[in-house]
Amino acid sequence: MKTYDLLELAGRNLRESVLRNGLTTAGISIGVASLVAMLSLGSGLQDLANRRLSRSGLFDTVYVTSFRDFRESGPEERERKADVSKARPLDQSVQKDLESIPDVLEVEPEVRFMGEVRYGDATHAAFVAGLPPSDKGNENFEGMKGRFFASSHAQEAIVQMDFAKNLNEKDPNSVVGQDLILRYAERQSFRVDSDPSSGMSDSSGFSVVRKEQKLKIVGIIDQEPFGGMRSISRARLFIPTQLADDLNMMQYSDLRGITGDAVGQKTYLALVVRVTSAGRVQAVQDAIKRLGFRTYSILDATKGLRQFFAVLDLFLGIFGSLALAVASLAIINTLVMAVLERRREIGIMKAVGASDGDVKKLFFAEAGAMGLAGGILGVLLGWSIGRFINFGVNIWLHRRDLPPETIWSSPLWLIGAAIAFSILVSLVAGLYPAARASKLDPVQALKYE
Amino acid sequence: MTNTDAVAILASNVSRHHKLGTTLIRAVDEVSAEIKKGEFVGLLGASGSGKSTLLNLIAGLDRPTAGSIEVLGRNLAQMSSEELSRYRRLKVGMIFQSFNLISSMTVIENVELPLRFAETERSKRERLVHEALDRVEMSHRLAHRPSELSGGEQQRVSIARALINNPLILLADEPTGNLDSRTGGEIINVIRRCNHELKMTVVMVTHERSIAEQVAERMILMTDGRITEQSPPAHEVCR
Ligand SMILES: Nc1ncnc2c1ncn2[C@@H]1O[C@H](COP(=O)(O)OP(=O)(O)O)[C@@H](O)[C@H]1O
Ligand SMILES: [Mg+2]
């Protein structure tokens, strides 16, 4: 039988008992709707978590430290401890190397040191941290007072709210636009020409010179960006990373390496590597490890989180499918009824030349058509339910003065998969009735009653 | 014996037995018969004598439990179910006592149905349907459903359906059984025209000898699943 004949016959058979087939289709659509609703919720929650985490700037970031640094030590490091002194320090050449790894957006040194701030007549101590220009788009700076640095070399500062209160207790907001003086230690490298008479074998080193830099306060932020997770200690004053580099501000790492071979070189405590997308973090991390550095990313910490979402999706999918399984029983029931009811018709079709296969295909087509219709209706229904729930959640959030959120996401693949799954389930449900119809003995079916 | 080219249906020791528990019902029992191309045969017998069973065996709707049936030189017993459906589609047309039209379909749709299974091109279908309905004089009620037609009209439509694929053999199982004698006579005439004008081989089951005598060139009488009489006798026909 040609396809259009098959579809035409299937269509007219479905129309013949509109109520029964309509109810069955409604059953399928409810099943599909619950599946779509469950998976949309799962996918929406995962998106929400990803969005929150990726906008936090933590998800696409890898922290690189040298094995010279004893800051942390795991079993992996204890093994290597023997050649710690030979480990490569984090210097500008490493920065270049890391920048050339595919999918790396930028490599910035982590700048963090203790500084002294003079504002008006008073002097304050504060941890100072550098911020790379890419942080400008980060959510941490969304609600800030004032603005982000004008350029990566700008002689500007952003202060944390608590620090602003230290500077001006009565009206902390007024510090924006004011100048402050930052006192810091400048690192000046030197080389000593070898002098055998002095008995010294070292030929290079650095000296520390106290310097001052005038900075203009351009903004205030409520909290340290990234919840302070990027650092070992909370910073209260922020300057452009490049400016810190330009001014050769001395850092911990300089003191730590003071007895090493590379004293003359400028090294960094840590390099912060930004990756194009969270999905590429693992690959970049592996590449950096191969270069012989220690890495850390939030990905390491969120493995459990991703596992949680996989399990959540699985459970939501199982519950959603349950309704569809019930619907598939409705299809079997409807079609078995139809086979009984249309016994004579099936006998007639066989008598005028329908093959077993034609009869089977006809019932399959009817099952598939119900599956398709149920799938489309179900997706629409599921989508509406999702909109509705999302709407409700946002009203709830609004009452609590929280910003609106999308906890619902029905990606195209989900919609396509739901319809395809609905057709598949319907066809599987049609297997038994179709086989029964095709095996029907035409002689029995045509017996005159 | 006869030239095999001229034989339409050749049954050799055909049996169709049904097992019901421990009893064996011999619906058709070791029947042998030969029907020539273009012949009009009346199949007579009391109710339950096995006429319908034999007709269904010839139609390929049923399979014999023993023996063989050759139609147009091919043994139905050796055909796959796919081949049998193809055979039914193209070589035989069937008419029933109860018309067996599909009640949800119009006249046109009922007559068109075999063309769907034969995968006839859409563009040719309308002409074929109208030709068939013209032949049975039913061109005036195309959009009606069977329930809106009289018994005679329904039987005409079912004949049109049987003719649509231009088969070589027409099998009719008590085609006048549900009709009054006048209408029955008209239907018999339509079937006779199929035999005369279209050169179709016709096997018509009936339990009324008078009806068979009007049209049939030969009559086969069945009793309890066996052929008990042929008139004129088989040897005369063969001559
Ligand atoms: N499926 C079946 N199971 C058991 N007996 C059957 C079956 N089909 C037909 N028969 C029996 O076979 C005999 C012949 O039936 P049938 O060919 O319909 O007779 P007719 O058409 O001559 O009235 C009857 O006795 C009937 O009861
Ligand atoms: Mg009968």
Side-chain angles (χ1 to χ4, degrees):
Chain A
M1 201 170 12
K2 292 234 169 73
T3 310
Y4 53 73
D5 282 314
L6 188 69
L7 296 180
E8 214 169 273
L9 284 181
R12 58 168 306 128
N13 284 338
L14 290 175
R15 280 196 302 276
E16 269 310 302
S17 22
V18 170
L19 183 64
R20 193 202 313 150
N21 294 319
L23 287 174
T24 306
T25 305
I28 302 167
S29 67
I30 290 170
V32 172
S34 83
L35 185 67
V36 167
M38 292 292 188
L39 291 181
S40 296
L41 183 64
S43 150
L45 288 177
Q46 189 161 6
D47 280 359
L48 176 64
N50 279 345
R51 210 160 48 230
R52 285 272 142 201
L53 288 169
S54 69
R55 277 171 75 224
S56 72
L58 295 167
F59 240 55
D60 53 1
T61 305
V62 178
Y63 307 93
V64 181
T65 50
S66 166
F67 280 106
R68 290 189 163 213
D69 189 351
F70 297 110
R71 220 166 73 192
E72 40 190 319
S73 73
E76 178 193 11
E77 270 135 66
R78 252 168 262 130
E79 269 173 42
R80 296 211 193 192
K81 217 146 219 175
D83 35 10
V84 151
S85 58
K86 285 190 203 121
R88 207 173 150 193
L90 288 176
D91 55 22
Q92 266 160 333
S93 75
V94 175
Q95 189 178 0
K96 290 261 144 37
D97 287 355
L98 298 186
E99 269 166 358
S100 65
I101 294 174
D103 292 314
V104 168
L105 274 184
E106 72 175 13
V107 181
E108 290 281 340
E110 170 156 286
V111 169
R112 193 165 284 266
F113 58 89
M114 192 69 178
E116 214 176 74
V117 173
R118 229 178 52 221
Y119 183 79
D121 304 330
T123 303
H124 309 266
F127 264 110
V128 182
L131 294 176
S134 67
D135 277 355
K136 188 174 183 175
N138 191 275
E139 63 166 359
N140 292 291
F141 301 97
E142 255 166 33
M144 72 182 287
K145 291 177 192 71
R147 58 165 174 83
F148 199 75
F149 306 125
S151 78
S152 53
H153 301 272
Q155 295 176 357
E156 294 173 340
I158 293 173
V159 294
Q160 197 219 337
M161 195 52 172
D162 286 342
F163 191 58
K165 282 178 187 157
N166 281 0
L167 300 181
N168 186 337
E169 214 165 330
K170 287 192 200 86
D171 185 10
N173 288 342
S174 69
V175 303
V176 176
Q178 304 297 314
D179 287 340
L180 58 72
I181 307 287
L182 174 64
R183 281 201 184 130
Y184 65 98
E186 190 192 53
R187 178 192 198 286
Q188 291 183 341
S189 302
F190 60 81
R191 264 196 92 80
V192 187
D193 287 328
S194 215
D195 179 8
S197 61
S198 73
M200 284 195 345
S201 58
D202 267 2
S203 57
S204 64
F206 60 84
S207 55
V208 177
V209 180
R210 207 172 97 151
K211 288 266 180 165
E212 283 186 352
Q213 173 67 44
K214 193 164 102 182
L215 298 169
K216 184 177 184 173
I217 301 172
V218 293
I220 304 177
I221 56 170
D222 285 340
Q223 283 172 330
E224 158 138 34
F226 316 109
M229 274 182 77
R230 269 189 175 176
S231 61
I232 41 171
S233 53
R234 303 225 148 204
R236 312 214 291 165
L237 181 71
F238 306 95
I239 59 172
T241 302
Q242 284 304 316
L243 178 70
D245 213 37
D246 292 347
L247 299 177
N248 275 329
M249 290 176 175
M250 197 184 81
Q251 302 191 42
Y252 293 129
S253 50
D254 296 321
L255 292 173
R256 183 207 58 214
I258 207 150
T259 54
D261 302 328
V263 183
Q265 289 167 266
K266 177 166 160 182
T267 63
Y268 302 116
L269 185 66
L271 287 170
V272 181
V273 177
R274 278 296 186 83
V275 183
T276 50
S277 75
R280 304 297 305 152
V281 164
Q282 190 63 55
V284 169
Q285 220 177 331
D286 291 344
I288 296 172
K289 277 197 179 117
R290 276 196 296 277
L291 290 177
F293 297 100
R294 186 196 290 128
T295 64
Y296 175 79
S297 77
I298 203 73
L299 210 63
D300 298 330
T302 56
K303 278 202 176 97
L305 190 70
R306 281 175 296 146
Q307 205 170 348
F308 165 76
F309 275 114
V311 173
L312 181 74
D313 275 352
L314 185 69
F315 270 92
L316 290 174
I318 287 173
F319 280 113
S321 306
L322 224 53
L324 199 56
V326 173
S328 75
L329 292 180
I331 298 179
I332 297 176
N333 183 51
T334 300
L335 289 178
V336 168
M337 292 277 291
V339 173
L340 292 176
E341 220 169 63
R342 289 177 8 215
R343 251 172 82 84
R344 195 173 188 84
E345 201 176 304
I346 295 165
I348 294 170
M349 291 199 291
K350 286 192 169 184
V352 302
S355 65
D356 291 2
D358 288 333
V359 174
K360 194 179 266 180
K361 274 188 240 160
L362 186 58
F363 275 82
F364 259 142
E366 288 174 36
M370 286 195 275
L372 176 66
I376 292 170
L377 286 175
V379 164
L380 290 176
L381 188 64
W383 186 81
S384 316
I385 292 173
R387 295 268 91 183
F388 186 74
I389 291 183
N390 209 34
F391 183 69
V393 166
N394 278 330
I395 287 180
W396 187 84
L397 286 173
H398 184 74
R399 288 228 185 99
R400 276 152 193 79
D401 281 335
L402 291 165
E405 266 304 348
T406 309
I407 58 156
W408 204 269
S409 138
S410 312
L412 266 183
W413 69 262
L414 179 63
I415 288 168
I419 294 175
F421 191 55
S422 163
I423 295 175
L424 184 76
V425 166
S426 304
L427 289 180
V428 170
L431 271 177
Y432 169 70
R436 224 177 121 150
S438 75
K439 291 217 172 65
L440 198 73
D441 177 5
V443 175
Q444 295 299 323
L446 288 172
K447 274 235 164 89
Y448 184 61
E449 57 253 359
Chain B
M1 263 183 46
T2 38
N3 177 8
T4 48
D5 284 352
V7 176
I9 303 162
L10 179 65
S12 325
N13 293 317
V14 170
S15 294
R16 179 65 173 96
H17 295 172
H18 295 280
K19 269 204 194 84
L20 271 186
T22 52
T23 56
L24 190 68
I25 296 165
R26 300 164 196 267
V28 168
D29 199 27
E30 303 213 327
V31 162
S32 295
E34 191 184 289
I35 295 166
K36 288 189 295 180
K37 279 183 183 164
E39 214 181 349
F40 195 132
V41 173
L43 191 55
L44 280 160
S47 186
S49 58
K51 309 180 296 290
S52 295
T53 307
L54 183 59
L55 205 70
N56 287 336
L57 289 170
I58 297 170
L61 279 175
D62 202 357
R63 286 173 186 275
T65 43
S68 76
I69 297 185
E70 273 180 40
V71 181
L72 306 168
R74 294 197 61 193
N75 190 350
L76 301 188
Q78 285 169 356
M79 286 191 191
S80 68
S81 72
E82 187 63 39
E83 286 171 320
L84 277 179
S85 70
R86 199 183 140 73
Y87 157 77
R88 284 200 298 275
R89 193 148 65 218
L90 303 175
K91 300 286 194 265
V92 289
M94 290 191 87
I95 312 168
F96 306 88
Q97 179 178 0
S98 51
F99 322 130
N100 278 336
L101 296 173
I102 293 179
S103 57
S104 62
M105 291 184 176
T106 63
V107 166
I108 286 197
E109 288 168 332
N110 265 291
V111 176
E112 189 196 9
L113 189 62
L115 296 178
R116 294 188 195 257
F117 300 124
E119 302 197 340
T120 308
E121 272 174 53
R122 282 214 146 178
S123 54
K124 294 181 182 161
R125 289 185 190 176
E126 200 181 314
R127 187 178 53 80
L128 289 170
V129 169
H130 281 96
E131 270 175 23
L133 284 168
D134 273 347
R135 193 165 286 283
V136 298
E137 288 157 8
M138 275 300 293
S139 303
H140 54 297
R141 316 213 36 190
L142 304 176
H144 290 253
R145 293 201 170 194
S147 57
E148 296 159 355
L149 303 177
S150 72
E153 287 169 329
Q154 288 188 53
Q155 195 60 295
R156 284 168 189 266
V157 174
S158 91
I159 295 172
R161 182 181 63 186
L163 297 181
I164 192 82
N165 275 327
N166 202 16
L168 294 162
I169 297 163
L170 185 64
L171 304 173
D173 194 347
E174 308 208 29
T176 61
N178 277 3
L179 304 174
D180 60 74
S181 58
R182 204 174 71 83
T183 319
E186 286 169 18
I187 294 299
I188 297 292
N189 269 329
V190 174
I191 296 174
R192 189 189 0 221
R193 282 214 309 276
C194 293
N195 176 245
H196 281 187
E197 294 167 16
L198 300 173
K199 307 284 175 250
M200 293 169 85
T201 309
V202 177
V203 180
M204 185 175 78
V205 169
T206 175
H207 57 267
E208 285 177 77
R209 189 174 275 268
S210 61
I211 292 175
E213 276 170 344
Q214 286 173 34
V215 283
E217 299 162 54
R218 184 156 67 100
M219 268 164 315
I220 297 174
L221 180 69
M222 286 187 78
T223 314
D224 294 336
R226 288 174 172 268
I227 292 180
T228 48
E229 189 194 320
Q230 298 204 26
S231 64
H235 60 269
E236 279 181 34
V237 178
C238 294
R239 239 190 300 128

